[in-house]
Amino acid sequence: MYILLFLSVIISGLSVLFINISGTTLKLILSFSGSFLFAICALHLIPEIYLSNTPNIGVFILIGFFVQILLEFFSEGIEHGHIHIHNHGLKHNAFPYAVMIGLSIHSFLEGMPLANIGTQSHNSLLAGIVMHNIPIAMALMTMLLKSHIRKQSAIMWLVVFALITPIGTFTSYAIDKNIIGNLSNYFDRIMAVVVGIFLHISTTILFESSENHRFNLIKFLVILLGAGFALVSL
């Protein structure tokens, strides 16, 4: 699992160096991943959270939703394919630290449910996160390269980003096993916050998949395909 999370980011990010990935293709990948992630929330994660009978669990879903809104002030929406170039007057090595911090917090939280989620939903969630991270890695690498950052530095930061989700998963495992403090009693609430984050990301992707509110058959079919994959994974 840890290797898959890491390699999916590395391979997809490095693909930008060798393959010219159009904006249309990236949007289709985003549409699929957003639909898959939203369907997993509706079919797997939300039902499991409410089975825990934790009081006011819905409040924590809302907290996660609004936490992601705050994170996007730093990440500038790169989680759903927005690429903002940071030239800083064509100055080289102008690294967008705020974007990296916001994206890293998002990815850290995203990996946390993988350590403790039920077996039935684990593989589906893992696939959803992998599919979600593929376009993020592409967008991040594209942004870094176009921001006048050296290729070696861009690859180094891609590796750092690839490690964040596995670190989140391990941290969640450590919390659940009481290796870190005694926070396992709050895991359901942590999980609810992450689901809120997933809901914000997935719905934003789906809302943005229709440009100028015009119907696009290919994107619609890709969205249906993503939801269908989540459904058959039950």
Side-chain angles (χ1 to χ4, degrees), residues 4-32:
L4 179 59
L5 290 169
F6 178 80
L7 289 181
S8 62
V9 171
I10 294 297
I11 293 172
S12 55
L14 291 180
S15 68
V16 174
L17 300 176
F18 307 102
I19 304 173
N20 184 18
I21 300 172
S22 67
T24 301
T25 301
L26 184 60
K27 286 181 180 179
L28 289 176
I29 296 173
L30 279 164
S31 296
F32 179 90

Side-chain angles (χ1 to χ4, degrees), residues 42-56:
L43 299 171
H44 298 270
L45 303 184
I46 293 176
E48 283 197 10
I49 288 173
Y50 278 93
L51 283 175
S52 68
N53 294 319
T54 301
N56 301 317

Side-chain angles (χ1 to χ4, degrees), residues 170-188:
F170 178 78
T171 301
S172 180
Y173 171 82
I175 290 173
D176 186 58
K177 301 302 180 183
N178 293 329
I179 297 174
I180 300 176
N182 187 25
L183 299 177
S184 59
N185 293 333
Y186 299 95
F187 180 78
D188 292 327

Side-chain angles (χ1 to χ4, degrees), residues 156-213:
M156 180 195 73
W157 284 108
L158 179 68
V159 171
V160 171
F161 171 65
L163 290 170
I164 299 299
T165 301
I167 290 174
T169 302
F170 178 78
T171 301
S172 180
Y173 171 82
I175 290 173
D176 186 58
K177 301 302 180 183
N178 293 329
I179 297 174
I180 300 176
N182 187 25
L183 299 177
S184 59
N185 293 333
Y186 299 95
F187 180 78
D188 292 327
R189 296 174 178 85
I190 296 172
M191 181 67 178
V193 170
V194 174
V195 168
I197 291 174
F198 286 164
L199 286 175
H200 182 278
I201 292 296
S202 59
T203 52
T204 301
I205 290 172
L206 293 177
F207 289 148
E208 292 181 345
S209 66
S210 178
E211 297 179 4
N212 300 321
H213 302 285

